[in-house]
Amino acid sequence: MDQWQSTPSNSPYQARSSSMATQAHNGYPEYRQGSPTPRTRSSTESSVTKASLVRRDSLQYGSPDGQDDVVPTTFDESALRLLIDMDCGVDCMLDRIKQGMASAREAAVFLQKRAALEGDLGRSMHKLAVNTKSAYAANECKPGTFASAWDRAMTLHETIAENRLKLSANLSEMSEELSTLAKEVDKNRKQVKDTHASYERNYNESLSTLSKAYARFAAAQEDLERFVVAKEGENMRDARMGVPQQASSSRKGPGSVAKAISKGTMFNRKNPARQEDDVRSRMSAASTSYQKSKQDMQAIKSEYFNLQLPRTLRALKELSDEIDTAMQFHLSKYAYLLESSLLSDAVSLVPKGPEDGPGLKAIMESIDNRADFKEYVQAYRVANHGMGRGPQREDPIEPSHLPPVSPYIDRLNQGYPSQHNLPSMRNGLERGTATFGVGLVEQMERDGVEVPKIVTKCCEAIERYGLDVQGIYRLSGTHTKVNRLKELMDRDIDSVNLNTEEWTSDINNVTGVLKLWLRELPEPLMTNSLQAGFVEAARNENDRLRHIRLHERVNDLPDANYSTLKYLMGHLSKVIEQQAVNSMTVYNLALVFGPTLFGTNMMANGHPPMNGGPSPGGAAAGIGDVGAQNKAIETILDRYKDIFVEE
């Protein structure tokens, strides 16, 4: 019995019971043979043990210090002694294991169905979030803070969907483990049951053999007694039976011998001694056979009750413990996984700290409808400037309302250019120092710089005073201040000092002038000819491919546009580095500068094309492709170092 003593196991449920059952099937001694064959590990035992070890490794949970087990793993010796004392202990354990297998199968079915529900929910939610983001980007939906909040909300739903998919995978794995365990336990139960039946049959056969030996011995003994009665007469028989002498004398007669012979004793009067020896020889042989059968039965009985029955009950008890422990462990793991999944969703919705990011409520509260409306109106006004929409605001000028021309003016006009030549002459004078409405190449060649002066002057001031301003570039400055700063820069940009209190008190005026200069360029910074290429590249779903295609389009820009864009993107990257303070992320800056950098397709004189409508890549195309334009700027900003620095 020592070799069957239980030892504590580190596995979450009893991994040794399956191998014990196989040993019971393969290793129990067959007492009808000479000696038991050495026990070897069978392939079934090896596979079951490996499966148990895999379950142990994959399902081990506990406290961080490893001192807390989910379920107990020690063997209950008192229960084993109770089963040994029961006459129906084996049947009791067989029925108990059947109940455990049925429970395991039901639990496996529940976990599989729950995994299917979680999987369907996760896949549907993930698909909904992705499709919603794509549809929002494809349609003409609200930009600004609303678009940013909407995108982050859909990303949060994707995170919740991924949590559901992980829970589904874990539950499905647990269901398969329970199903496999039930099959293995059922197989081992049948093996132990068949092995025990053979031992019980062997013991019953020994009892039957002993009963037959006793019957032969009793028959030989009776023959010997009859022979003695026939030989010595009825007086001896009556004496052996306790019959009084008087009754014995009354029954004497010649018929007594014949009566004894008729009962089976073949009395040979010619050679009674030889016949007596034969009867006694049969009697001795039957007695020897009976004694041997009795000894064999006692040995088999002792081995059955002292070794085989306890061994069988231990194997069955360990199978029962295995499936009971596995059931408890998997249900505890199910509770743990479900709790973890729900807590993960809760942390996503309501973060514990700033490092976990904003929650859903904070995301929705970040929507600034007023700022979005201002940005929309500003972008719409720029995109539709000069389109001739709406009623005429100015009164018509009629000749009758003009004042009379002075003769002095007529005399002056004789020595000077005509009136219709004055605008062109004034424009020629202004273009010598003008900053707004002048082409990039013209400004840079005139000033001898690689980046226009207004860009470097404004960006340096913004980096000095505005990186920590909330909503920088998103908020507009004061209209009068912006126009005044524009006039000063257009007159003499070198004389403008942006470090004075007038401009540092509200840096939004400086950002407004910079955006206004970009919008009033004769040709957008991204050029009309390359707008379609930028839009097409931005529509690539693959991030890597979109980056490569946009990089190619940036390299196609003219030198003046390329150097200006590089400087501007570097400046905006510094703004993004302070997004924790100014709340201007890559996405928010892309919403601001998308329409600004792609601009409108105006002619050099500030009028729309001669056919009265926009040409390809112009204002109308910019409104339709605003989502792709914003995505292009967002990608270029996000990949600034890859595109401009690490060349």
mmCIF file of all heavy atoms in Angstrom, residues 134-179:
data_model
loop_
_atom_site.group_PDB
_atom_site.id
_atom_site.type_symbol
_atom_site.label_atom_id
_atom_site.label_comp_id
_atom_site.label_asym_id
_atom_site.label_seq_id
_atom_site.Cartn_x
_atom_site.Cartn_y
_atom_site.Cartn_z
ATOM 1 N N SER A 134 -14.694 54.730 -41.157
ATOM 2 C CA SER A 134 -14.504 54.885 -42.599
ATOM 3 C C SER A 134 -15.630 55.709 -43.220
ATOM 4 O O SER A 134 -15.387 56.575 -44.064
ATOM 5 C CB SER A 134 -14.418 53.504 -43.256
ATOM 6 O OG SER A 134 -13.349 52.755 -42.726
ATOM 7 N N ALA A 135 -16.864 55.425 -42.810
ATOM 8 C CA ALA A 135 -18.001 56.159 -43.366
ATOM 9 C C ALA A 135 -17.945 57.633 -42.977
ATOM 10 O O ALA A 135 -18.267 58.518 -43.775
ATOM 11 C CB ALA A 135 -19.311 55.534 -42.878
ATOM 12 N N TYR A 136 -17.515 57.907 -41.747
ATOM 13 C CA TYR A 136 -17.422 59.304 -41.312
ATOM 14 C C TYR A 136 -16.377 60.058 -42.127
ATOM 15 O O TYR A 136 -16.574 61.219 -42.491
ATOM 16 C CB TYR A 136 -17.072 59.359 -39.826
ATOM 17 C CG TYR A 136 -17.276 60.730 -39.213
ATOM 18 C CD1 TYR A 136 -18.468 61.060 -38.586
ATOM 19 C CD2 TYR A 136 -16.279 61.695 -39.264
ATOM 20 C CE1 TYR A 136 -18.674 62.315 -38.030
ATOM 21 C CE2 TYR A 136 -16.467 62.957 -38.713
ATOM 22 C CZ TYR A 136 -17.670 63.268 -38.102
ATOM 23 O OH TYR A 136 -17.869 64.501 -37.568
ATOM 24 N N ALA A 137 -15.251 59.389 -42.405
ATOM 25 C CA ALA A 137 -14.204 60.039 -43.188
ATOM 26 C C ALA A 137 -14.614 60.221 -44.643
ATOM 27 O O ALA A 137 -14.209 61.186 -45.299
ATOM 28 C CB ALA A 137 -12.908 59.230 -43.107
ATOM 29 N N ALA A 138 -15.428 59.273 -45.168
ATOM 30 C CA ALA A 138 -15.819 59.346 -46.576
ATOM 31 C C ALA A 138 -16.922 60.379 -46.817
ATOM 32 O O ALA A 138 -16.975 60.984 -47.884
ATOM 33 C CB ALA A 138 -16.268 57.973 -47.057
ATOM 34 N N ASN A 139 -17.812 60.556 -45.843
ATOM 35 C CA ASN A 139 -18.919 61.483 -46.025
ATOM 36 C C ASN A 139 -18.532 62.884 -45.547
ATOM 37 O O ASN A 139 -17.531 63.086 -44.865
ATOM 38 C CB ASN A 139 -20.147 60.990 -45.254
ATOM 39 C CG ASN A 139 -20.646 59.662 -45.793
ATOM 40 O OD1 ASN A 139 -20.612 59.426 -46.997
ATOM 41 N ND2 ASN A 139 -21.089 58.783 -44.908
ATOM 42 N N GLU A 140 -19.365 63.855 -45.924
ATOM 43 C CA GLU A 140 -19.112 65.242 -45.560
ATOM 44 C C GLU A 140 -19.678 65.506 -44.171
ATOM 45 O O GLU A 140 -20.685 66.190 -43.994
ATOM 46 C CB GLU A 140 -19.724 66.178 -46.593
ATOM 47 C CG GLU A 140 -19.111 66.055 -47.978
ATOM 48 C CD GLU A 140 -19.695 67.054 -48.954
ATOM 49 O OE1 GLU A 140 -20.491 67.911 -48.506
ATOM 50 O OE2 GLU A 140 -19.369 66.990 -50.144
ATOM 51 N N CYS A 141 -19.006 64.948 -43.152
ATOM 52 C CA CYS A 141 -19.442 65.113 -41.769
ATOM 53 C C CYS A 141 -18.697 66.270 -41.116
ATOM 54 O O CYS A 141 -17.776 66.845 -41.695
ATOM 55 C CB CYS A 141 -19.214 63.820 -40.994
ATOM 56 S SG CYS A 141 -20.108 62.397 -41.659
ATOM 57 N N LYS A 142 -19.085 66.591 -39.905
ATOM 58 C CA LYS A 142 -18.507 67.721 -39.193
ATOM 59 C C LYS A 142 -17.032 67.472 -38.884
ATOM 60 O O LYS A 142 -16.683 66.413 -38.362
ATOM 61 C CB LYS A 142 -19.261 67.963 -37.885
ATOM 62 C CG LYS A 142 -20.671 68.462 -38.059
ATOM 63 C CD LYS A 142 -21.414 68.478 -36.733
ATOM 64 C CE LYS A 142 -20.717 69.337 -35.709
ATOM 65 N NZ LYS A 142 -21.474 69.407 -34.436
ATOM 66 N N PRO A 143 -16.162 68.433 -39.189
ATOM 67 C CA PRO A 143 -14.758 68.312 -38.784
ATOM 68 C C PRO A 143 -14.551 68.911 -37.395
ATOM 69 O O PRO A 143 -15.506 69.132 -36.646
ATOM 70 C CB PRO A 143 -14.026 69.102 -39.866
ATOM 71 C CG PRO A 143 -15.002 70.173 -40.254
ATOM 72 C CD PRO A 143 -16.380 69.587 -40.075
ATOM 73 N N GLY A 144 -13.319 69.180 -37.050
ATOM 74 C CA GLY A 144 -13.003 69.862 -35.807
ATOM 75 C C GLY A 144 -12.991 68.942 -34.611
ATOM 76 O O GLY A 144 -12.704 67.747 -34.697
ATOM 77 N N THR A 145 -13.331 69.502 -33.455
ATOM 78 C CA THR A 145 -13.286 68.726 -32.215
ATOM 79 C C THR A 145 -14.306 67.596 -32.213
ATOM 80 O O THR A 145 -14.087 66.562 -31.581
ATOM 81 C CB THR A 145 -13.549 69.649 -31.009
ATOM 82 O OG1 THR A 145 -14.841 70.270 -31.160
ATOM 83 C CG2 THR A 145 -12.477 70.726 -30.923
ATOM 84 N N PHE A 146 -15.432 67.792 -32.906
ATOM 85 C CA PHE A 146 -16.418 66.716 -32.977
ATOM 86 C C PHE A 146 -15.839 65.506 -33.707
ATOM 87 O O PHE A 146 -15.997 64.370 -33.259
ATOM 88 C CB PHE A 146 -17.686 67.198 -33.688
ATOM 89 C CG PHE A 146 -18.768 66.160 -33.740
ATOM 90 C CD1 PHE A 146 -19.691 66.050 -32.714
ATOM 91 C CD2 PHE A 146 -18.861 65.273 -34.810
ATOM 92 C CE1 PHE A 146 -20.684 65.076 -32.752
ATOM 93 C CE2 PHE A 146 -19.843 64.303 -34.852
ATOM 94 C CZ PHE A 146 -20.760 64.210 -33.820
ATOM 95 N N ALA A 147 -15.166 65.733 -34.823
ATOM 96 C CA ALA A 147 -14.567 64.628 -35.573
ATOM 97 C C ALA A 147 -13.498 63.924 -34.747
ATOM 98 O O ALA A 147 -13.384 62.691 -34.759
ATOM 99 C CB ALA A 147 -13.976 65.140 -36.887
ATOM 100 N N SER A 148 -12.705 64.705 -34.005
ATOM 101 C CA SER A 148 -11.672 64.106 -33.158
ATOM 102 C C SER A 148 -12.290 63.251 -32.063
ATOM 103 O O SER A 148 -11.845 62.124 -31.809
ATOM 104 C CB SER A 148 -10.801 65.209 -32.547
ATOM 105 O OG SER A 148 -9.841 64.655 -31.670
ATOM 106 N N ALA A 149 -13.325 63.778 -31.398
ATOM 107 C CA ALA A 149 -13.993 63.019 -30.340
ATOM 108 C C ALA A 149 -14.661 61.769 -30.908
ATOM 109 O O ALA A 149 -14.623 60.690 -30.299
ATOM 110 C CB ALA A 149 -15.025 63.897 -29.629
ATOM 111 N N TRP A 150 -15.261 61.905 -32.069
ATOM 112 C CA TRP A 150 -15.915 60.746 -32.692
ATOM 113 C C TRP A 150 -14.903 59.656 -33.028
ATOM 114 O O TRP A 150 -15.143 58.473 -32.795
ATOM 115 C CB TRP A 150 -16.642 61.199 -33.947
ATOM 116 C CG TRP A 150 -17.471 60.134 -34.592
ATOM 117 C CD1 TRP A 150 -17.147 59.375 -35.668
ATOM 118 C CD2 TRP A 150 -18.766 59.695 -34.170
ATOM 119 N NE1 TRP A 150 -18.143 58.492 -35.962
ATOM 120 C CE2 TRP A 150 -19.166 58.663 -35.057
ATOM 121 C CE3 TRP A 150 -19.624 60.061 -33.143
ATOM 122 C CZ2 TRP A 150 -20.376 58.015 -34.926
ATOM 123 C CZ3 TRP A 150 -20.834 59.406 -33.019
ATOM 124 C CH2 TRP A 150 -21.200 58.398 -33.901
ATOM 125 N N ASP A 151 -13.769 60.047 -33.566
ATOM 126 C CA ASP A 151 -12.733 59.077 -33.911
ATOM 127 C C ASP A 151 -12.209 58.374 -32.665
ATOM 128 O O ASP A 151 -12.036 57.147 -32.654
ATOM 129 C CB ASP A 151 -11.591 59.786 -34.634
ATOM 130 C CG ASP A 151 -10.511 58.819 -35.096
ATOM 131 O OD1 ASP A 151 -10.713 58.166 -36.134
ATOM 132 O OD2 ASP A 151 -9.467 58.715 -34.426
ATOM 133 N N ARG A 152 -11.964 59.122 -31.586
ATOM 134 C CA ARG A 152 -11.473 58.499 -30.356
ATOM 135 C C ARG A 152 -12.534 57.595 -29.725
ATOM 136 O O ARG A 152 -12.206 56.558 -29.135
ATOM 137 C CB ARG A 152 -11.034 59.580 -29.369
ATOM 138 C CG ARG A 152 -9.718 60.253 -29.754
ATOM 139 C CD ARG A 152 -9.258 61.210 -28.668
ATOM 140 N NE ARG A 152 -10.131 62.375 -28.587
ATOM 141 C CZ ARG A 152 -10.036 63.312 -27.643
ATOM 142 N NH1 ARG A 152 -9.110 63.203 -26.710
ATOM 143 N NH2 ARG A 152 -10.853 64.347 -27.643
ATOM 144 N N ALA A 153 -13.807 57.970 -29.834
ATOM 145 C CA ALA A 153 -14.874 57.117 -29.303
ATOM 146 C C ALA A 153 -14.935 55.795 -30.059
ATOM 147 O O ALA A 153 -15.120 54.723 -29.456
ATOM 148 C CB ALA A 153 -16.223 57.842 -29.384
ATOM 149 N N MET A 154 -14.787 55.838 -31.370
ATOM 150 C CA MET A 154 -14.791 54.597 -32.141
ATOM 151 C C MET A 154 -13.559 53.743 -31.822
ATOM 152 O O MET A 154 -13.635 52.515 -31.763
ATOM 153 C CB MET A 154 -14.822 54.918 -33.641
ATOM 154 C CG MET A 154 -16.105 55.571 -34.112
ATOM 155 S SD MET A 154 -17.595 54.572 -33.768
ATOM 156 C CE MET A 154 -18.274 55.474 -32.358
ATOM 157 N N THR A 155 -12.419 54.392 -31.597
ATOM 158 C CA THR A 155 -11.218 53.653 -31.195
ATOM 159 C C THR A 155 -11.431 52.966 -29.852
ATOM 160 O O THR A 155 -10.990 51.830 -29.639
ATOM 161 C CB THR A 155 -10.015 54.606 -31.117
ATOM 162 O OG1 THR A 155 -9.824 55.222 -32.389
ATOM 163 C CG2 THR A 155 -8.747 53.855 -30.739
ATOM 164 N N LEU A 156 -12.109 53.645 -28.926
ATOM 165 C CA LEU A 156 -12.410 53.035 -27.631
ATOM 166 C C LEU A 156 -13.324 51.825 -27.806
ATOM 167 O O LEU A 156 -13.154 50.804 -27.129
ATOM 168 C CB LEU A 156 -13.063 54.082 -26.723
ATOM 169 C CG LEU A 156 -13.259 53.706 -25.251
ATOM 170 C CD1 LEU A 156 -13.053 54.932 -24.379
ATOM 171 C CD2 LEU A 156 -14.647 53.142 -25.003
ATOM 172 N N HIS A 157 -14.292 51.917 -28.722
ATOM 173 C CA HIS A 157 -15.153 50.761 -28.993
ATOM 174 C C HIS A 157 -14.352 49.602 -29.593
ATOM 175 O O HIS A 157 -14.646 48.429 -29.326
ATOM 176 C CB HIS A 157 -16.288 51.165 -29.941
ATOM 177 C CG HIS A 157 -17.419 51.864 -29.257
ATOM 178 N ND1 HIS A 157 -17.349 53.191 -28.873
ATOM 179 C CD2 HIS A 157 -18.644 51.426 -28.861
ATOM 180 C CE1 HIS A 157 -18.481 53.543 -28.292
ATOM 181 N NE2 HIS A 157 -19.288 52.494 -28.267
ATOM 182 N N GLU A 158 -13.358 49.924 -30.403
ATOM 183 C CA GLU A 158 -12.486 48.865 -30.927
ATOM 184 C C GLU A 158 -11.737 48.177 -29.792
ATOM 185 O O GLU A 158 -11.557 46.946 -29.803
ATOM 186 C CB GLU A 158 -11.499 49.456 -31.933
ATOM 187 C CG GLU A 158 -12.142 49.936 -33.231
ATOM 188 C CD GLU A 158 -11.107 50.503 -34.185
ATOM 189 O OE1 GLU A 158 -9.910 50.252 -33.991
ATOM 190 O OE2 GLU A 158 -11.494 51.195 -35.134
ATOM 191 N N THR A 159 -11.282 48.941 -28.810
ATOM 192 C CA THR A 159 -10.589 48.351 -27.660
ATOM 193 C C THR A 159 -11.520 47.421 -26.885
ATOM 194 O O THR A 159 -11.130 46.311 -26.489
ATOM 195 C CB THR A 159 -10.068 49.467 -26.735
ATOM 196 O OG1 THR A 159 -9.188 50.318 -27.471
ATOM 197 C CG2 THR A 159 -9.327 48.877 -25.549
ATOM 198 N N ILE A 160 -12.756 47.852 -26.650
ATOM 199 C CA ILE A 160 -13.724 47.001 -25.949
ATOM 200 C C ILE A 160 -14.003 45.738 -26.757
ATOM 201 O O ILE A 160 -14.115 44.633 -26.204
ATOM 202 C CB ILE A 160 -15.017 47.788 -25.684
ATOM 203 C CG1 ILE A 160 -14.733 48.969 -24.739
ATOM 204 C CG2 ILE A 160 -16.096 46.886 -25.110
ATOM 205 C CD1 ILE A 160 -15.929 49.857 -24.483
ATOM 206 N N ALA A 161 -14.099 45.881 -28.074
ATOM 207 C CA ALA A 161 -14.332 44.709 -28.927
ATOM 208 C C ALA A 161 -13.162 43.733 -28.838
ATOM 209 O O ALA A 161 -13.362 42.504 -28.803
ATOM 210 C CB ALA A 161 -14.551 45.154 -30.371
ATOM 211 N N GLU A 162 -11.941 44.244 -28.813
ATOM 212 C CA GLU A 162 -10.778 43.355 -28.680
ATOM 213 C C GLU A 162 -10.793 42.622 -27.347
ATOM 214 O O GLU A 162 -10.422 41.442 -27.278
ATOM 215 C CB GLU A 162 -9.498 44.178 -28.824
ATOM 216 C CG GLU A 162 -9.275 44.725 -30.239
ATOM 217 C CD GLU A 162 -8.083 45.665 -30.316
ATOM 218 O OE1 GLU A 162 -7.468 45.912 -29.248
ATOM 219 O OE2 GLU A 162 -7.766 46.129 -31.422
ATOM 220 N N ASN A 163 -11.232 43.290 -26.278
ATOM 221 C CA ASN A 163 -11.355 42.613 -24.986
ATOM 222 C C ASN A 163 -12.359 41.477 -25.066
ATOM 223 O O ASN A 163 -12.152 40.396 -24.492
ATOM 224 C CB ASN A 163 -11.778 43.607 -23.905
ATOM 225 C CG ASN A 163 -10.703 44.642 -23.612
ATOM 226 O OD1 ASN A 163 -9.519 44.405 -23.863
ATOM 227 N ND2 ASN A 163 -11.098 45.792 -23.088
ATOM 228 N N ARG A 164 -13.456 41.683 -25.773
ATOM 229 C CA ARG A 164 -14.467 40.633 -25.923
ATOM 230 C C ARG A 164 -13.926 39.452 -26.720
ATOM 231 O O ARG A 164 -14.206 38.294 -26.414
ATOM 232 C CB ARG A 164 -15.713 41.209 -26.617
ATOM 233 C CG ARG A 164 -16.447 42.236 -25.778
ATOM 234 C CD ARG A 164 -16.990 41.620 -24.517
ATOM 235 N NE ARG A 164 -17.448 42.605 -23.564
ATOM 236 C CZ ARG A 164 -17.877 42.320 -22.350
ATOM 237 N NH1 ARG A 164 -17.864 41.065 -21.957
ATOM 238 N NH2 ARG A 164 -18.253 43.261 -21.520
ATOM 239 N N LEU A 165 -13.156 39.744 -27.744
ATOM 240 C CA LEU A 165 -12.587 38.665 -28.551
ATOM 241 C C LEU A 165 -11.577 37.851 -27.744
ATOM 242 O O LEU A 165 -11.498 36.625 -27.875
ATOM 243 C CB LEU A 165 -11.931 39.245 -29.803
ATOM 244 C CG LEU A 165 -12.888 39.864 -30.826
ATOM 245 C CD1 LEU A 165 -12.115 40.502 -31.973
ATOM 246 C CD2 LEU A 165 -13.847 38.817 -31.369
ATOM 247 N N LYS A 166 -10.797 38.519 -26.901
ATOM 248 C CA LYS A 166 -9.861 37.790 -26.041
ATOM 249 C C LYS A 166 -10.608 36.904 -25.056
ATOM 250 O O LYS A 166 -10.228 35.751 -24.827
ATOM 251 C CB LYS A 166 -8.969 38.783 -25.289
ATOM 252 C CG LYS A 166 -7.995 39.535 -26.165
ATOM 253 C CD LYS A 166 -7.177 40.524 -25.345
ATOM 254 C CE LYS A 166 -6.220 41.311 -26.229
ATOM 255 N NZ LYS A 166 -5.438 42.317 -25.450
ATOM 256 N N LEU A 167 -11.675 37.428 -24.458
ATOM 257 C CA LEU A 167 -12.485 36.623 -23.542
ATOM 258 C C LEU A 167 -13.086 35.430 -24.265
ATOM 259 O O LEU A 167 -13.115 34.314 -23.730
ATOM 260 C CB LEU A 167 -13.589 37.493 -22.929
ATOM 261 C CG LEU A 167 -14.577 36.775 -22.003
ATOM 262 C CD1 LEU A 167 -13.844 36.193 -20.795
ATOM 263 C CD2 LEU A 167 -15.671 37.735 -21.543
ATOM 264 N N SER A 168 -13.547 35.627 -25.484
ATOM 265 C CA SER A 168 -14.116 34.530 -26.265
ATOM 266 C C SER A 168 -13.089 33.439 -26.519
ATOM 267 O O SER A 168 -13.385 32.244 -26.386
ATOM 268 C CB SER A 168 -14.662 35.064 -27.599
ATOM 269 O OG SER A 168 -15.093 34.006 -28.431
ATOM 270 N N ALA A 169 -11.874 33.831 -26.873
ATOM 271 C CA ALA A 169 -10.824 32.843 -27.123
ATOM 272 C C ALA A 169 -10.487 32.055 -25.863
ATOM 273 O O ALA A 169 -10.322 30.819 -25.905
ATOM 274 C CB ALA A 169 -9.573 33.537 -27.661
ATOM 275 N N ASN A 170 -10.425 32.731 -24.718
ATOM 276 C CA ASN A 170 -10.123 32.033 -23.461
ATOM 277 C C ASN A 170 -11.232 31.073 -23.074
ATOM 278 O O ASN A 170 -10.974 29.945 -22.635
ATOM 279 C CB ASN A 170 -9.896 33.059 -22.344
ATOM 280 C CG ASN A 170 -8.603 33.816 -22.511
ATOM 281 O OD1 ASN A 170 -7.625 33.282 -23.025
ATOM 282 N ND2 ASN A 170 -8.570 35.068 -22.083
ATOM 283 N N LEU A 171 -12.480 31.495 -23.230
ATOM 284 C CA LEU A 171 -13.602 30.615 -22.890
ATOM 285 C C LEU A 171 -13.657 29.412 -23.813
ATOM 286 O O LEU A 171 -13.952 28.293 -23.385
ATOM 287 C CB LEU A 171 -14.914 31.398 -22.960
ATOM 288 C CG LEU A 171 -15.091 32.523 -21.934
ATOM 289 C CD1 LEU A 171 -16.450 33.178 -22.105
ATOM 290 C CD2 LEU A 171 -14.938 32.003 -20.521
ATOM 291 N N SER A 172 -13.381 29.604 -25.082
ATOM 292 C CA SER A 172 -13.366 28.485 -26.027
ATOM 293 C C SER A 172 -12.272 27.483 -25.664
ATOM 294 O O SER A 172 -12.486 26.264 -25.715
ATOM 295 C CB SER A 172 -13.162 29.013 -27.444
ATOM 296 O OG SER A 172 -13.134 27.956 -28.375
ATOM 297 N N GLU A 173 -11.115 27.995 -25.275
ATOM 298 C CA GLU A 173 -10.029 27.112 -24.867
ATOM 299 C C GLU A 173 -10.406 26.328 -23.613
ATOM 300 O O GLU A 173 -10.140 25.113 -23.519
ATOM 301 C CB GLU A 173 -8.772 27.936 -24.606
ATOM 302 C CG GLU A 173 -7.566 27.105 -24.187
ATOM 303 C CD GLU A 173 -6.355 27.960 -23.904
ATOM 304 O OE1 GLU A 173 -6.455 29.189 -24.068
ATOM 305 O OE2 GLU A 173 -5.314 27.401 -23.527
ATOM 306 N N MET A 174 -11.043 26.973 -22.651
ATOM 307 C CA MET A 174 -11.480 26.278 -21.445
ATOM 308 C C MET A 174 -12.511 25.200 -21.765
ATOM 309 O O MET A 174 -12.488 24.103 -21.178
ATOM 310 C CB MET A 174 -12.062 27.291 -20.463
ATOM 311 C CG MET A 174 -11.041 28.233 -19.858
ATOM 312 S SD MET A 174 -11.826 29.614 -18.984
ATOM 313 C CE MET A 174 -12.825 28.730 -17.792
ATOM 314 N N SER A 175 -13.420 25.490 -22.686
ATOM 315 C CA SER A 175 -14.430 24.497 -23.074
ATOM 316 C C SER A 175 -13.779 23.263 -23.685
ATOM 317 O O SER A 175 -14.155 22.124 -23.373
ATOM 318 C CB SER A 175 -15.415 25.129 -24.071
ATOM 319 O OG SER A 175 -16.325 24.172 -24.550
ATOM 320 N N GLU A 176 -12.800 23.478 -24.559
ATOM 321 C CA GLU A 176 -12.101 22.340 -25.158
ATOM 322 C C GLU A 176 -11.351 21.529 -24.108
ATOM 323 O O GLU A 176 -11.329 20.293 -24.161
ATOM 324 C CB GLU A 176 -11.136 22.847 -26.226
ATOM 325 C CG GLU A 176 -11.824 23.462 -27.436
ATOM 326 C CD GLU A 176 -10.836 24.000 -28.453
ATOM 327 O OE1 GLU A 176 -9.609 23.879 -28.202
ATOM 328 O OE2 GLU A 176 -11.271 24.534 -29.485
ATOM 329 N N GLU A 177 -10.766 22.198 -23.127
ATOM 330 C CA GLU A 177 -10.039 21.487 -22.083
ATOM 331 C C GLU A 177 -10.978 20.624 -21.242
ATOM 332 O O GLU A 177 -10.652 19.490 -20.902
ATOM 333 C CB GLU A 177 -9.298 22.486 -21.206
ATOM 334 C CG GLU A 177 -8.110 23.132 -21.907
ATOM 335 C CD GLU A 177 -7.476 24.212 -21.058
ATOM 336 O OE1 GLU A 177 -8.078 24.574 -20.024
ATOM 337 O OE2 GLU A 177 -6.383 24.695 -21.414
ATOM 338 N N LEU A 178 -12.144 21.175 -20.896
ATOM 339 C CA LEU A 178 -13.103 20.393 -20.120
ATOM 340 C C LEU A 178 -13.632 19.207 -20.922
ATOM 341 O O LEU A 178 -13.811 18.111 -20.381
ATOM 342 C CB LEU A 178 -14.260 21.286 -19.670
ATOM 343 C CG LEU A 178 -14.007 22.158 -18.440
ATOM 344 C CD1 LEU A 178 -15.238 22.998 -18.129
ATOM 345 C CD2 LEU A 178 -13.648 21.300 -17.236
ATOM 346 N N SER A 179 -13.904 19.403 -22.197
ATOM 347 C CA SER A 179 -14.376 18.291 -23.039
ATOM 348 C C SER A 179 -13.318 17.200 -23.139
ATOM 349 O O SER A 179 -13.629 16.002 -23.025
ATOM 350 C CB SER A 179 -14.731 18.817 -24.433
ATOM 351 O OG SER A 179 -15.765 19.769 -24.374
#
